[in-house]
Amino acid sequence: MTRKQRRFGLIAGSLAVLGAAVGLILYALTDSIVFFHSPTEVEEKNIKPGTRLRVGGLVSPGTVVKGEKLSVQFEVTDGNKAITVAYTGILPDLFREGQGVVAEGVLEQPGRFYADSVLAKHDENYMPREVADALKKQGYWKDDYDKKPQVPMAGVTGAAQ
Amino acid sequence: MIPELGHYALVLALALALAQSTVPLIGVRRGDAALMEIARSTAIAQFAFAAVSFAALTASYVMSDFSVENVALNSHSAMPLLYKYTSVWGNHEGSMLLWVLILALFGALFAWFSSNVPLALRASALAAQGWVAAAFYLFILLTSNPFARLPAPPIEGLDLNPILQDIGLAIHPPLLYVGYVGFSMAFSFAVAALLIGRIDAAWARWARPWILTAWIFLTLGIAMGSYWAYYELGWGGWWFWDPVENASLMPWIAGTALLHSALVMEKRGALKVWTILLAILTFSLSLMGAFLVRSGVLTSVHTFATDPTRGVFILLILVVFVGGSLALFAWRAPMLKQGGLFAPISREGALVFNNLFLITACATVFVGTLYPLALEAVTGAKITVGAPFFNLTFGPLIVPVLLAAPFGPLLAWKRGDLLAVSQRLLAAAALAVIALIVTFIVQGRPVLAPLGIACGVFVIAGALTDVAERTGLFRTAPQVALRRAVRLPRSAWGAAFGHLALGVMLIGIIGESQWNTERIVAMKVGDKLALAGYDLSFDGAGQRQGPNYTELFATFTVRRDGKVLGVMEPSKRTFAHRDMSTTEAALKTRGFSQLYLSLGEVEPDGTVAVRAYYKPLVLLIWIGAILMAIGGAFSLSDRRLRVGAPRPAKARAKAALQPAE
């Protein structure tokens, strides 16, 4: 083979691998990405039940209801609309009423969401960014969300005594 | 006084970096050896001042000087001493200081150990290193001063984020940074070669130890981060395809490709231009990682704080360095001479194959990481690209690399014989088929697991075949084989270990992802839980006081077939100063597998939510990473790299000063 033929072979091979990669990426992007919506957007966009998505907002105080076998239900609000989230499992350490959460799962019916994972913040200072943006959009953002929460911790310490 | 000293030292380090980045280049231009030699002394002095600065911040932390804002925000007087040390880099400003310290350390080490590198190349590389350092010193001084004082110092600090109060913080960031920053040496070497306009096989020999060092540390750093997330976050995952993790994975993949292509360049003088480009790309990906993590475009445990000016500044650094070096590459690369010829089926060909697939796989990670950011910037839609995307794209692209790994080292340079190599790998393939059948019979169901295990066995057996072939094991007397094994170049052992490690890691990944058992249950004292053949009984709960937290723990007795194996004690720690709690998982190691228990919420009636996992073979994932690093260390200790290239003849040294025609 001449040098030119070799180079052609190499380039053709590279293009084939790159093409395969592009194909894989496009296929995966149509299938395995998950959109984030605030409760208002879920309603406005008429998202069909059965769609997989992420919903975020603040946990409405007083709406957390615990059931049997680790099932729990709570409302997530962006200040305008609220959506009921049902979840079975262990909530993250930083899950509190009035705090930001992001739930990933499936919309069962309009206004009701079944989550298979619930994420809270990484530490006490910061709101999940999507949630902060969603709240700002609804004019519900207060500057003090960025600051240290004053609520004493219930839950763990209370139960231990 | 100490913080001001640290601040001042940092400014001096910047001044030295600026001198280091300009004077030697003037020297190269004029052919003035004295000016070129300045690079060495400035690099060493710059490191000394960066070290003084870092020591000053460390002293402020150890003495709990809360008049320093950074200390007040991230420390607490009651914190154990180890965490006072580690919290120096448990925040944005301090971690950037660690970054420049390591950057300066690499520059100083290179200045110290580079007597065998031609003067012009050395001076240019150190100058490039100086630019990078100067940019980051400016970044710290202008946007993230760790030494800022508070007008009214608080009596007590705000404490370090409890998730970071762990031995992991002492190990993971320094290792990772040595890796990230170490690739700056590859970048500096590449830029120097482009500036001088001359490059040969010796370049790879000089650059390779630095690339290898960075790669070893990055490997360990990523593995340590993964293990830390596994035991600290409490839900048993070891890799989440989180953008921040991807930010460290991309330079690692590119660095792995670079190691392999530099090998071709060193041995055969081919792939020169590609290797230079790869060196630039690898460090560019490191810089992009720094941008993703430090700019606040992502929310994560790693980001600490968000401040738009920092994001813009790092983006500027990224654009200038990536754009600048790629422009330099476009301008100068055509002047570099093309290297040796090789047939498609050859060791070189195998390494090109490795590079092609690794870089494409890296590109899919790149797309998956940046696509959500780009989409949000353009349309405002917020999406997440998670594990399913990467499993579908990265997975299929990395499998060919794994399957090809045993072939590479067995193929001859220049022109190889695929048939002969395949025959040598017959035993390995037979073992793989046996593994496939055994795994299939034992567990039945999904096809993925048996195939994955077979692939892992093939890679391990293939790596061992290579060693057996080289030592003549089974063909000669054992003593002869042993003597040959001792004499085998360390780099051959390195390659064997590195490839074997891939197989080990793959088996761990398959075991953990395909066969793990998960139970999430609410338990009361006296309850029992059956998990993958083990019986766990909840014996009781209690509370104890730590130095800066209170800890609620639950005691479980682990039994198998009625025999007590031990006690597991998962707990939850509540940090009053931060009003946060962390989950401390309990791990019980059984061979390469682990039982994993973590606590969820505790109800007032004493019911505890428990996450229990049985993770088969999970330890192989990290053992694989450690083996990989050991392989890297073997290669690094190879005589040819340790001693370095022979001192170039005078004629060659003179030629090095002039651009090649």
Side-chain angles (χ1 to χ4, degrees), chain B residues 260 344-354 399-413 415-430 432 454-455 458-467 469-470 495-496 499-500 502:
Chain B
H260 288 88
I345 302 293
S346 60
R347 180 92 60 94
E348 294 96 318
L351 290 165
V352 168
F353 181 91
N354 150 304
V399 169
V401 177
L402 291 174
L403 289 178
F407 288 90
L410 287 171
L411 279 166
W413 290 107
R415 187 172 288 115
D417 184 349
L418 195 58
L419 192 68
V421 171
S422 306
Q423 279 169 346
R424 287 185 203 164
L425 284 172
L426 268 184
C455 180
F458 179 62
V459 174
I460 295 174
L464 295 177
T465 306
D466 180 41
V467 174
E469 285 289 332
R470 280 165 194 265
H499 288 180
L500 182 136
L502 275 179

Side-chain angles (χ1 to χ4, degrees), chain B residues 226-256:
Chain B
S226 153
Y227 190 65
W228 187 12
Y230 168 76
Y231 72 73
E232 180 69 29
L233 297 181
W235 39 295
W238 51 273
W239 191 260
F240 307 98
W241 292 107
D242 175 276
V244 173
E245 291 172 331
N246 295 346
S248 67
L249 183 65
M250 285 187 277
W252 186 85
I253 301 173
T256 310

Side-chain angles (χ1 to χ4, degrees), chain B residues 158-181:
Chain B
L158 282 181
D159 208 351
L160 179 68
N161 183 344
I163 293 177
L164 301 179
Q165 295 197 21
D166 186 273
I167 184 75
L169 182 67
I171 308 169
H172 165 61
L175 285 179
L176 198 71
Y177 275 18
V178 171
Y180 260 141
V181 174

Side-chain angles (χ1 to χ4, degrees), chain B residues 615-638:
Chain B
K615 301 206 163 267
L617 305 180
V618 67
L619 285 181
L620 290 182
I621 297 172
W622 301 293
I623 291 174
I626 291 170
L627 284 176
M628 232 178 252
I630 292 175
F634 263 121
S635 280
L636 191 61
S637 69
D638 194 276

